[in-house]
Amino acid sequence: MMASSYSAKEEDGHHPGSAGLGDTAIRTRKPDNTAFKQQRLPAWQPILTAGTVLPAFFVIGLIFIPIGIGLYVTSNNIKEFEIDYTGTDMSSPCFNCSINHSWNNTTPCKCVLPFSLDQPFESNVFMYYGLSNFYQNHRRYVKSRDDSQLNGDEGSLKEPSKECEPYHTSEKKPIAPCGAIANSMFNDTLELYFIDPNGTRNQIPLTKKGIAWWTDKHVKFRNPGSNNPNLTAVFQDTAKPINWGKPVYELDTDLENNGFINEDFIVWMRTAALPTFRKLYRIIQKKNSMTPTLPRGNYTLEVTYIHFLNHLYSDYPVRSFDGRKRVILSTISWMGGKNPFLGIAYITVGLICFFLGVVLLFIHHKYGNRNNSSDIPN
Amino acid sequence: MQNLYRGRVGVTLHRAHAPVTSPALADVGRALLHRAGDTPSLSHSLLRNDVPSAFECQTEHDKNHKLCCTGEENWVDSRTVYIGHKEPPSGTEAYIPQRFPDNRIISSKLIIDTPTSPMTSGLPLFFVITVTAIKQGYEDWIRHKADNAINQCPVHAIQHGKVIRKQSQKLRTYYAVQDTKAFTTAEEFDTLHSTIECEQPQPDLYKYVGRINIYLDRDEPIARPLGSENLLLRGATLKNTEFIYAVAIYTGMESKMALNYQSKSQKRSAVEKSMNAYLIVYLCILISKALINTFLKYVWQADPNRDEPWYNQKTENERQRHVLIRAFTDFLAYMVLFNYIIPVSMYVTVEMQKFLGSYFIQWDDDMFDEEIGERPLVNTSDLNEELGQVEYVFTDKTGTLTENNMELKECCVDGHVYVPHAICNGQILPGAVGMDMDMIDSSPGVDGKEREELFFRALCLCHTVQVKEEETVDGIKRGIHQGKSTSSYISSSPDEVALVEGMQRLGFTYLRLKDSHMEILNREDEMERFELLEVLNFDSVRRRMSVIVRSNTGEYYMFCKGADSSIFPRVVSGKVEQVRARVEHNAVEGLRTLCVAYKKLSHVEYEDVCRLLNCAKLALQDRDKKLAEAYDVIEKDFILLGATAVEDRLQDKAADTIESLHKAGMKVWVLTGDKMETAAATCYASKLFHRSTQILELTTKRTEEQSLHDVLFDLSRTVLRQHGSMTRDTFSGLSGDCQDYGLIIDGATLSAILKPNQEGNRNGGNYKEIFLEICRNCSAVLCCRMAPLQKAQIVKMIKTSKEHPITLAIGDGANDVSMILEAHVGIGIMGKEGRQAARNSDYAITKFKHLKKMLLVHGHYYYIRIAELVQYFFYKNVCFIFPQFLYQFFCGFSQQPLYDTAYLTLYNISFTSLPILLYSLMEQHINMDILKRDPSLYRDIAKNSLLRWPTFIYWTFLGLFDATVFFFGAFFLFDNATFTSNGQMFGNWTFGTLVFTVLVFTVTLKLALDTHYWTWINHFVIWGSLLFYVIFSLLWGGIIWPFLNYQRMYYVFMQMLSSGPAWLSIILLIIVSLLPDVLKKVFCRAMWPTTTEKIQNADKLYKGHLSEFTPLSSLHAPPARKHNRRGEESQNPAHRRSDSSRPKKMMYAYWGGRRDYRTFSSFLRIGENPRFSGAAYAYTAPGPETSV
């Protein structure tokens, strides 16, 4: 692609020392005549000229545009549905829960949001919750965790890292899991119902396995006590995070998904890059090839709010910082979720390159000859 | 080597291998001074630690007086102070830890709340310091080794000393004081009582004033003067003498060599200056970034729900801290976060580049001198790139442009010309060319005969030549005419050797100096003996030397030889006119002329002279001045005998070199002490002046006719008129066809110009300005009749003129040292006049012609390499840090680092460091041979062109653009953070890793795009460091690191790579980032190509078509295209020069045959140029009638 030419200089090797030198002293002081020392190593000497980069531009253009189109089409084929259930609006069913649910009764507040899908979701559907304006990437927040504790280190369990301050100890007992991240774990419970045309509510089965990175679940996060099935005993001398309604060993009944290796927990612990983010909540597995995973029709989303201690708000609170809560249902292609950016970017860059290729062609014709002709200066 | 040091020093040194000074080199006598009572503390620092305090001085008078080494503790103290620079300790590692913690504190302790761990910030700094320390340590170690070589020479013990005559390798002659010559054994010395008084140590190597008091009979001491001829400097080697007895006067760090060494000032290159300017800009950027972010943070946090949302509470401590303190810590934290924008590691890389790069000069085969078996020396690697920036070259003439290999061409006695037979391969040259010379080597009559013989004797006697009996000696050998004798002459002045040898051919052989008698073999093979009474040494101010001798018959003669200007005024009779004519004629031919005169003295007169001299010699203060006065009185009323002409041939390829330097846009100044005519002839021969050069004269001759004022204004008008019209005509900076000016100025006029209050302040002040203005428009300047100090003055004047051009001074002799030290780049020639110049220079080469490769190739390479290095470093750090800055806007201004600690630390140290270092060592944007063939390429980099502000701003903006692309590319990609097919999400560390991966690849590939010379090493480091990054990332994220308390990077990199969109976006972002730079390169090359780029294009196209003709244009243009050129010429005047290839070829052919000026003069006759006579004051080139 580039102009290349290997300069055929003498490779290397010692010239037989010049003949006239009888004096050995002189010969030893004579510099070695290696190609490296004489700066004459054989080299490829490319030069970027209009002529040489021109093909590169066309090639880039020709490769990028199809890729871009492919990406764009793929992205467009992805079905995505999003419901905001923050409940800021008076009309929203969740308004009540988010404002003034009384916690005196033990029944958790629940709100039901009906929605309908215009198009069936054919393949596996991934259910996300999304928060916005939530600074998971704030430095104080990011570092407020103890990875050793989460990795099952007994010492750190008893004495969490200082980084966890001020979510370090509670009632003289170390918090497990400590830190701001764990403390603020998202805890709304989301359920999805399909409303049959005949009005029956069918709960859609949600898989919670496989939402966290495999390596996180199996290596990075570990319960203390070396596979002691009795987590209660293991976490005996620890306190639950202040905001949590129940301790960490009661996150799930399944032993494989309890304690630090609870997948919801692990997902939450991977701090998001930007203040508006989404996290994988559940997966709706495709049942068989005949029926779509989520057929067209009416659905309801039921949000159950869990008691959030030490806080005025009743639900998982985002309104104080103008945050939003969303639920996203999305299919996934090989390139992940819906994101037209990459496709558009590829198409744009491809077009630009192609266009520049044309410009360069023109320049090459107009100026290239001039340069390459004889009028080399002085 | 060892046996050369078999000297004995007259100072008690009990340890055999010990003091810093080696035997023969102790600047002698301190011990005695001490005894005399006026005594400063003795010689601290001169003993090494392993020397017991046994610096004893036993004189007869005070045998028990011990000079204890009081300074030993000092020594230990100062050792720690100087460690880095002067006196290396035995192990350099010892002090690295000392320095390191101090420096690291800055980043780790001041700031309690750093966003990155102290290690992260400290490690690069530590690395920088370590590498710097190692480099310095290594250089110290080398120095240390050199010191040791001398320091550990065995010193024979004790006794005291006398100076016996000896010679150093520099062919200087030293004398023992007369009264001590008798002492020849150690036992005898024990009987000597004497004291030496002398000045305190001072750095001037060539000056020494002292007095020895010898007590013979315990009564009045005999006082004898001691001068530099009695002093052996540290490092001197005995030549003719097996051993000496000496008194150590200055020892260790007080020795003159050591003082000189220290006083050498540090030179800094222009690149370093721009580097520092950039650094300040970046410092401002850094501070403003931190300030902006701090400010925005508090604006943003005004809402308490942002400052402290429920999910992210502060600790009690943090809450209670005062807001100002918080703001300040935040500011500091930002500084820490962004501090990588200051490329600390650049300094290491630059150091390493310079240090390692300088080896290429030393290794260069082309610059190796087969004759003397020396290779170039790099004394200061700091100035490598300055070699590519030279605008003014100041060169010495003798020994630099010329070979300093003298041959007597002719002598002229009373107007009769003699040409020694044996010269020029035995052929007898026609000595007279159409002038009034009627005879060659024939007897001019009885009276004439007498004068003739007196003349020859004068030359045989009036010199300081030594006779060396053995045939071979180390160093420079000057064999006498073959077959006649096995002895050879040695002297500090080649002229003298030439003269004495010439005399030998004319029948008078100087045999030896024995017992103060000079022996001469005359034409009849009779021995004549003259007692040598006084030698009035040569100095460059008087420009003459004299001897007083007594002949067998008891007559006192005083012979004087010197420059015509210093002899003629002192002559009262003789055929002055004829001699003067002949001298001028010879001078025009480029011969070095000397005039010889004599006078007879009566005994009374001689006594007077002796008294006068002794009085002056014994003075401790102002001895030089008093001596000069005495000489002035003594050397007068001479009778002129005749003149000699010595030829000094041009060095090999000197003319070619000067021509290349001119074409490279450098202004070449020749500074010489020679006569104007001689110098001018050399200048023509060396093509400093061309036939077409219009010569402007600014000499005493002219200023006698007109006032200096008028002359100056005349000249400046001439020059400016031309200049004005030239700028109108062509816009090109190439001085293709426009009038060349050459200026000749002599020392006297120069000092008149430089004198501040000249002819009243009205005009006096701006003489210098006018003069500079003239000089600026002259491509070549010849300064003749210069005193050494004036050389430095001129350099300084140009250096400090308003453009601040980069100057280079090249010379070979001690008289060039001041100029070499003054210039930006000082180059010494390891020549026949010793090593003073080479030692004080920044670079030492063996031949003037090597300057061409040094500047045009090495200088050019170093410059482009370091320029890229500097720009690239700033660029890559902007790319690195700016995304972090942008990220602050999305993380609540919380100083969250975008990248993981390991990446922050290793980015500059290992991911991106080696490619640029190797680039800066290997890059060759243009082939070496082309650079050498086409000097005008040098203009492309003149005036620091690659490090000017526009370029810098371009790079910075490129960095900003790339950083923006990285960040927002990743940002939009993370808009929907699902980009794996299993629906799982990525977090902030993946975000940072993505940005970082793009970053590393982009900056490395950017360098790859800039690389024009891909050797396997470049391939290896560029692809290797990318591979290293990948492997490191895999490893870093591959396991749970047991010693770390965070595992944030665990599997992040692998997860990223498992995602298709991540790959796609990495590729996309890299290409987008590189796009603008590629476009800029391509467009600039196509539309506004620089000379360099044109050559590159041409080189690429016509590779293999290289013609053997030197001028480049013919080189690259294939023969078939030559027709086009004519036509296009009118369009572009800048290219006119290409046409000059033809005449050049002709000249080359001519010069190829016999490289000396005689060829040139005859050439001049052929090519008379009519343009030449036109201008006022045109200097007539050596006329045709004078040649050959």
Side-chain angles (χ1 to χ4, degrees), chain A residues 287-299:
Chain A
K287 281 169 294 223
N288 54 55
S289 54
M290 300 308 287
T291 50
T293 324
L294 293 181
R296 184 150 37 132
N298 292 327
Y299 293 83

Side-chain angles (χ1 to χ4, degrees), chain B residues 679-864:
Chain B
T682 314
C683 289
Y684 274 101
S686 58
K687 299 215 181 164
L688 186 70
F689 296 151
H690 292 268
R691 290 161 298 138
S692 59
T693 310
Q694 184 184 335
I695 302 296
L696 312 169
E697 261 186 65
L698 198 55
T699 54
T700 1
K701 219 190 284 172
R702 275 199 64 195
T703 47
E704 277 163 8
E705 298 160 14
Q706 264 174 304
S707 79
L708 177 64
H709 182 85
D710 296 342
V711 178
L712 273 175
F713 276 92
D714 267 3
L715 292 183
S716 72
R717 227 172 298 131
T718 319
V719 170
L720 289 179
R721 196 185 328 121
Q722 180 67 37
H723 184 67
S725 62
M726 187 186 75
T727 42
R728 257 203 315 282
D729 285 352
T730 74
F731 225 63
S732 70
L734 309 175
S735 53
D737 258 355
C738 70
Q739 179 69 57
D740 262 349
Y741 286 100
L743 178 72
I744 299 182
I745 183 168
D746 62 10
T749 320
L750 185 78
S751 56
I753 289 171
L754 295 182
K755 213 180 289 169
N757 292 327
Q758 235 271 326
E759 291 181 15
N761 287 328
R762 194 166 44 86
N763 303 317
N766 52 6
Y767 278 177
K768 201 164 148 184
E769 276 311 305
I770 299 169
F771 175 64
L772 279 173
E773 187 59 42
I774 298 171
C775 294
R776 221 169 277 146
N777 292 300
C778 292
S779 57
V781 177
L782 165 63
C783 306
C784 42
R785 300 272 178 210
M786 288 284 141
L789 205 64
Q790 275 183 315
K791 293 186 178 183
Q793 263 179 345
I794 288 198
V795 175
K796 189 167 192 178
M797 180 183 77
I798 296 296
K799 202 170 102 173
T800 51
S801 69
K802 63 173 184 275
E803 293 101 341
H804 296 288
I806 308 295
T807 55
L808 176 145
I810 177 167
D812 70 326
N815 58 343
D816 304 316
V817 169
S818 55
M819 149 171 108
I820 285 172
L821 289 176
E822 181 66 46
H824 290 100
V825 185
I827 296 195
I829 291 196
M830 299 184 258
K832 305 201 163 99
E833 285 189 24
R835 291 289 159 89
Q836 286 101 332
R839 206 168 28 228
N840 285 288
S841 61
D842 303 307
Y843 301 89
I845 53 180
T846 49
K847 287 271 157 52
F848 184 72
K849 65 177 175 184
H850 294 150
L851 192 62
K852 181 175 172 184
K853 188 163 189 197
M854 189 105 164
L855 297 183
L856 298 186
V857 179
H858 289 294
H860 198 131
Y861 280 161
Y862 284 129
Y863 179 71
I864 58 141

Side-chain angles (χ1 to χ4, degrees), chain A residues 274-350:
Chain A
L274 299 167
T276 298
F277 60 89
R278 55 169 79 165
K279 286 183 184 290
L280 187 55
Y281 185 68
R282 293 291 183 265
I283 302 168
I284 306 164
Q285 302 283 0
K286 188 176 171 68
K287 281 169 294 223
N288 54 55
S289 54
M290 300 308 287
T291 50
T293 324
L294 293 181
R296 184 150 37 132
N298 292 327
Y299 293 83
T300 54
L301 171 72
E302 282 193 29
V303 185
T304 314
Y305 298 102
I306 292 187
H307 189 165
F308 217 82
L309 285 179
N310 297 337
H311 212 277
L312 293 174
Y313 295 103
S314 52
D315 60 344
Y316 187 81
V318 294
R319 297 183 61 183
S320 61
F321 47 84
D322 294 330
R324 303 296 254 166
K325 296 196 282 193
R326 294 160 298 152
V327 168
I328 302 116
L329 296 171
S330 170
T331 59
I332 290 287
S333 70
W334 62 270
M335 58 159 283
K338 196 181 187 82
N339 189 356
F341 163 73
L342 208 52
I344 293 172
Y346 260 91
I347 293 172
T348 317
V349 173

Side-chain angles (χ1 to χ4, degrees), chain B residues 296-311:
Chain B
L296 287 178
K297 175 172 181 159
Y298 284 87
V299 170
W300 188 81
Q301 282 184 353
D303 178 358
N305 273 321
R306 283 181 175 160
D307 184 24
E308 203 178 350
W310 62 267
Y311 55 85

